[in-house]
Amino acid sequence: DQQVKQNSPSLSVQEGRISILNCDYTNSMFDYFLWYKKYPAEGPTFLISISSIKDKNEDGRFTVFLNKSAKHLSLHIVPSQPGDSAVYFCASPSYNTDKLIFGTGTRLQVFP
Amino acid sequence: DTAVSQTPKYLVTQMGNDKSIKCEQNLGHDTMYWYKQDSKKFLKIMFSYNNKELIINETVPNRFSPKSPDKAHLNLHINSLELGDSAVYFCASSFRTSGNIQYFGAGTRLSVL
């Protein structure tokens, strides 16, 4: 039972354009969401988060949007750069526990 | 200076062997975690310790035993290794009050032959 889903395993975007990575969740009790970025042979690193009291959070080139009614969030990267090429995981803490539930990841490739 | 370090990075072993993976963090965090990333790329929590006390113990075979000698270290010992144990194991740490933002090690790729 995958409570956090990333249905696109991969995405290819040209440098300078917008990258949009999507994530859906099933549990309406989830109220906090995070995006992690992972390079090959490294562990995931925290990128940006959003609380359910907001519908948008921005940090430089990265913006996360949350649509609670649709149980959907997205990560926008503008402009995309080759160094953004990585696997992106969305995650949410399981309600009332210390557990982080991760999606399966989307591999982003930014080409020149 | 690596914040969360795991050793070894690669581990190749035969079925039935016992092996350990070590993890150390120098961030002053009070909580540490072990995750397993399987061939389908699911990243799943296995265990979590807060100040040396076990707080998360997912449905993991008894062959897996975590040990936390102090809050900067969390080791994972695996007995009687099976083919299905082949995966990448990640250690992570955080402050429990901000447990969602976790810092990960580079992973240990375990291959059981």
Side-chain angles (χ1 to χ4, degrees):
Chain A
D1 179 25
Q2 192 65 8
Q3 297 185 68
V4 177
K5 301 178 185 179
Q6 294 175 257
N7 293 319
S8 298
S10 63
L11 175 67
S12 189
V13 171
Q14 189 172 30
E15 182 178 5
R17 303 243 180 194
I18 185 171
S19 295
I20 301 176
L21 296 99
N22 294 304
C23 180
D24 297 296
Y25 59 98
T26 58
N27 192 331
S28 58
M29 299 299 287
F30 286 175
D31 60 5
Y32 189 75
F33 303 89
L34 306 94
W35 285 93
Y36 280 79
K37 174 179 178 179
K38 183 183 179 307
Y39 291 118
E42 295 183 12
T45 55
F46 170 71
L47 185 59
I48 191 170
S49 64
I50 188 166
S51 165
S52 61
I53 62 173
K54 294 184 174 182
D55 53 17
K56 176 182 174 181
N57 189 26
E58 190 171 353
D59 183 3
R61 297 185 298 111
F62 302 90
T63 303
V64 57
F65 295 92
L66 176 62
N67 182 334
K68 290 184 286 294
S69 60
K71 298 196 191 74
H72 177 83
L73 62 153
S74 59
L75 174 68
H76 292 210
I77 307 173
V78 183
S80 301
Q81 299 174 354
D84 297 328
S85 298
V87 177
Y88 290 79
F89 292 94
C90 67
S92 183
S94 182
Y95 179 69
N96 214 28
T97 75
D98 290 291
K99 293 193 298 184
L100 262 186
I101 309 294
F102 282 86
T104 50
T106 296
R107 181 178 301 278
L108 172 66
Q109 184 180 10
V110 180
F111 58 93
Chain B
D1 193 18
T2 306
V4 181
S5 59
Q6 299 179 223
T7 53
K9 196 169 179 65
Y10 299 97
L11 189 50
V12 181
T13 189
Q14 300 285 334
M15 271 197 310
N17 284 350
D18 303 337
K19 290 293 178 185
S20 293
I21 307 172
K22 296 185 176 181
C23 180
E24 176 181 4
Q25 55 95 3
N26 62 7
L27 297 167
H29 290 156
D30 57 5
T31 305
M32 296 185 72
Y33 312 81
W34 277 112
Y35 286 86
K36 179 181 179 180
Q37 185 178 34
D38 60 22
S39 57
K40 295 182 179 178
K41 305 303 181 187
F42 288 112
L43 192 61
K44 289 187 177 176
I45 183 77
M46 299 173 69
F47 302 102
S48 175
Y49 273 74
N50 174 252
N51 285 321
K52 303 194 298 174
E53 181 182 344
L54 183 66
I55 56 171
I56 294 175
N57 185 353
E58 285 297 281
T59 309
V60 176
N62 291 338
R63 300 181 294 102
F64 290 78
S65 54
K67 286 187 172 53
S68 182
D70 55 62
K71 68 178 187 178
H73 295 84
L74 180 61
N75 304 322
L76 183 65
H77 188 76
I78 316 170
N79 288 327
S80 304
L81 278 156
E82 300 178 357
L83 293 176
D85 298 331
S86 296
V88 182
Y89 292 85
F90 289 98
C91 175
S93 71
S94 72
F95 291 112
R96 192 172 188 189
T97 51
S98 60
N100 304 313
I101 299 177
Q102 299 175 12
Y103 293 77
F104 285 78
T108 296
R109 182 174 294 276
L110 172 64
S111 297
V112 182
L113 306 178

